[in-house]
Amino acid sequence: MEEAAAGAGAGAALEVVVFPWLAFGHMLSFLELSKRLAARGHAVAFLSTPRNLARLPPVPPHLSPRLRFVSLPLPRVDGLPEGAESTADVPPDKIELLKKAMDGLAAPLAAFLADAVAAGRRPDWIVHDFCHHWVPPIAGGHGVPCAVFIIVYATFMAFLGPRSANAEHPRAATEDFAVAPRWIPFPSTIAYRRRSEAEWIAAAFRANASGVSDMDRVWRLFERCRLAIYRSCDEVEPGMFALLADLFQQPVVPAGILLPAVIADGDGERPETLRWLDNQPAKSVIYVALGSEAPLTPGILHELALGLELAGVRFLWALRRPSGMFSAAIDAVTDDDLLPAGFEERTRGRGLVHTGWVPQVAALAHGATGAFLTHCGWGSTIESFASGHPLVMLPFVLDQPLVARDMAERGIGVEVARDEGDGSFDRDGVAAAVRRVTVDEEGKALASNAMKLREVLMDQGRQEKYIDDLVEHLRRYRGCC
């Protein structure tokens, strides 16, 4: 990264504003992109709300002069919990209201841009997220071009398709989303297999409490943005970026996988989870984490726990419980009720359940970790690539089912068996999938395939070139919007 900074002299430094959606997976991805731009000598202003900015990890000191954080106050919206500023602060049925509150940041953004222009610091770009359909008109009024940064699986965007393709090949019934769309020009099995998955994506095409459907937000953005940036690369999704450029009729730039660095312990105390891993045999532990936004219920957690117990393997379970996000059913119970009675006692010695923060990148990189039970969120999947771990996959919403299908086709992971209608699963399905990956002979082939992908993606020179190419695109397409 230090070497990359030396290349900033190849052209004038850029002034870039980044503006992520109010979800930590999005904010952290935008932060990784911001750090790489700052390391190349470009000035970055990271916009978000006060509480979210306070919860972001610290930036390396040598980047601080070029990476500043700008607080925009989130307006109050009826029905949104007091102090809620991110998806981790609200239950799933309130996320639509969070989007409504986000829309209320239009005036603060306009004021920020007006002040920047008046001070002689007109941004060269605003790089924003999927739901900011109102940003391009505001930015255009100040002569600032916009780029959308998509931090989910790029194939997901091809599956959604542009407005024109959906008009030509409309999808109204749930079943329409259970097959690959007709505008994919090559054979593909990427689709929403289960009714519960297809129903979720079909809902994205309908208006919600914010007054705008998620798909209409996306379409408006792509119709107004000059550039689309993806957190992915050709090695992971070959041929996909040319297809996206053709579908959406705009330049498409992969930014690489933007893998976060493993932070050294420094002088602080080593986290409990890593100390526990220190005492486990090499490659013996399956790391379990379903992100901070999976729509979990007590029943789901109990079956997952009993499946881990039945599998008989060592495990480290990062059981996060962000305020409000796990659903009303789970908020009504205590931490002791989240797991089956006696589960921790019965698995003591070979398993650890940690309900606080876990340094996931460090846990995955630890020598004792040999596999990953994941919801297949794109950020977590990318982090698994860096460690070369085979996957036990339990996807829920968004791009997760599509990621799981692709990883299964690549021979990197195994999905937990689920009901094709409601998506439910049981302990036997969890145990069987875990043992296939960690114990059975099949697991050796899965691990070998995962390591082969790791070897390709850990080519640091190649990953840095993706950022260099992005900077060149930002230089080439900046100017009057």
Side-chain angles (χ1 to χ4, degrees):
M1 193 66 72
E2 293 289 350
E3 293 177 3
L14 297 167
E15 292 268 352
V16 181
V17 174
V18 301
F19 194 11
W21 161 235
L22 305 176
F24 278 95
H26 291 245
M27 288 183 272
L28 292 174
S29 294
F30 273 70
L31 184 59
E32 289 301 324
L33 178 63
S34 299
K35 290 192 295 187
R36 282 158 175 79
L37 292 175
R40 285 161 170 76
H42 306 294
V44 181
F46 188 108
L47 274 55
S48 193
T49 61
R51 191 172 179 217
N52 287 328
L53 293 181
R55 291 184 285 187
L56 289 175
V59 170
H62 70 281
L63 298 181
S64 296
R66 295 185 295 275
L67 176 51
R68 63 192 179 104
F69 295 91
V70 179
S71 177
L72 302 180
L74 192 69
R76 291 280 302 137
V77 169
D78 288 342
L80 201 61
E82 183 72 30
E85 294 187 7
S86 80
T87 55
D89 300 325
V90 298
D93 61 348
K94 299 292 186 183
I95 290 179
E96 297 171 1
L97 294 177
L98 193 64
K99 288 172 184 167
K100 185 176 181 179
M102 180 85 180
D103 293 344
L105 292 177
L109 173 68
F112 165 80
L113 287 177
D115 290 344
V117 171
R121 295 190 62 177
R122 184 194 310 273
D124 292 295
W125 285 92
I126 295 183
V127 179
H128 54 75
D129 219 322
F130 80 99
C131 60
H132 301 54
H133 64 288
W134 39 268
V135 170
I138 295 172
H142 293 281
V144 180
C146 289
V148 60
F149 180 32
I150 300 298
I151 64 97
V152 296
Y153 186 47
T155 300
F156 176 57
M157 298 307 299
F159 185 92
L160 294 177
R163 193 190 301 271
S164 58
N166 280 272
E168 185 177 354
H169 305 290
R171 296 177 291 184
T174 300
E175 292 75 17
D176 295 336
F177 298 93
V179 295
R182 295 175 63 180
W183 52 81
I184 303 292
F186 43 79
S188 175
T189 59
I190 300 299
Y192 287 87
R193 182 182 303 157
R194 304 177 183 95
R195 172 169 288 276
S196 58
E197 298 171 354
E199 286 174 346
W200 180 90
I201 196 64
F205 287 75
R206 299 190 289 268
N208 54 50
S210 72
V212 185
S213 74
D214 285 344
M215 279 312 305
D216 199 39
R217 289 177 184 271
V218 170
W219 287 334
R220 291 190 202 181
L221 272 184
F222 276 89
E223 290 159 2
R224 294 293 299 268
C225 285
R226 299 186 65 188
L227 198 66
I229 306 166
Y230 287 86
R231 186 186 182 186
S232 189
C233 60
D234 293 316
E235 292 82 0
V236 177
E237 300 183 79
M240 190 52 59
F241 304 105
L243 173 61
L244 287 165
D246 182 60
L247 284 174
F248 289 93
Q249 292 295 293
Q250 67 183 173
V252 171
V253 186
I257 60 174
L258 299 175
L259 187 71
V262 178
I263 300 174
D265 296 332
D267 296 328
E269 183 180 357
R270 189 165 168 80
E272 174 196 0
T273 49
L274 299 185
R275 286 187 277 115
W276 184 84
L277 285 171
D278 291 341
N279 295 319
Q280 308 306 314
K283 297 291 185 182
S284 67
V285 175
I286 183 168
Y287 175 66
V288 182
L290 300 179
S292 60
E293 300 176 17
L296 302 179
T297 64
I300 286 175
L301 292 178
H302 280 217
E303 289 303 314
L304 178 55
L306 293 172
L308 290 171
E309 181 179 354
L310 191 60
V313 300
R314 298 174 188 270
F315 64 88
L316 168 60
W317 186 356
L319 177 54
R320 297 183 182 178
R321 185 181 180 173
S323 175
M325 193 56 215
F326 278 105
S327 83
I330 218 168
D331 284 340
V333 299
T334 67
D335 284 348
D336 290 339
D337 295 325
L338 298 182
L339 299 171
F343 168 75
E344 291 184 271
E345 289 74 16
R346 294 192 301 271
T347 59
R348 194 177 307 281
R350 68 174 177 87
L352 174 66
V353 179
H354 190 80
T355 55
W357 175 76
V358 175
Q360 178 161 293
V361 175
L364 287 170
H366 196 285
T369 303
F372 184 17
L373 194 160
T374 174
H375 64 309
C376 289
W378 189 231
S380 289
T381 304
I382 283 173
E383 290 170 6
S384 78
F385 291 159
S387 299
H389 293 317
L391 307 175
V392 177
M393 302 180 294
L394 193 61
F396 290 93
V397 295
L398 293 167
D399 57 335
Q400 299 161 16
L402 302 188
V403 173
R405 308 292 120 80
D406 189 20
M407 295 303 107
E409 285 190 7
R410 289 169 180 256
I412 291 173
V414 171
E415 273 198 71
V416 173
R418 299 168 86 161
D419 184 271
E420 292 300 299
D422 63 11
S424 60
F425 64 91
D426 61 24
R427 64 200 71 174
D428 293 322
V430 172
V434 169
R435 292 188 65 83
R436 283 177 65 187
V437 171
T438 63
V439 178
D440 297 349
E441 193 67 22
E442 178 183 4
K444 295 179 181 178
L446 296 169
S448 175
N449 292 336
M451 285 302 296
K452 289 176 183 176
L453 182 59
R454 177 191 183 277
E455 290 170 5
V456 172
L457 294 180
M458 294 310 287
D459 180 342
Q460 193 62 27
R462 178 64 175 158
Q463 290 298 317
E464 292 296 337
K465 187 177 185 303
Y466 280 114
I467 301 297
D468 293 337
D469 290 346
L470 169 60
V471 170
E472 287 308 307
H473 275 82
L474 293 176
R475 287 198 174 111
R476 186 184 313 157
Y477 291 98
R478 67 179 169 178
C480 180
C481 55

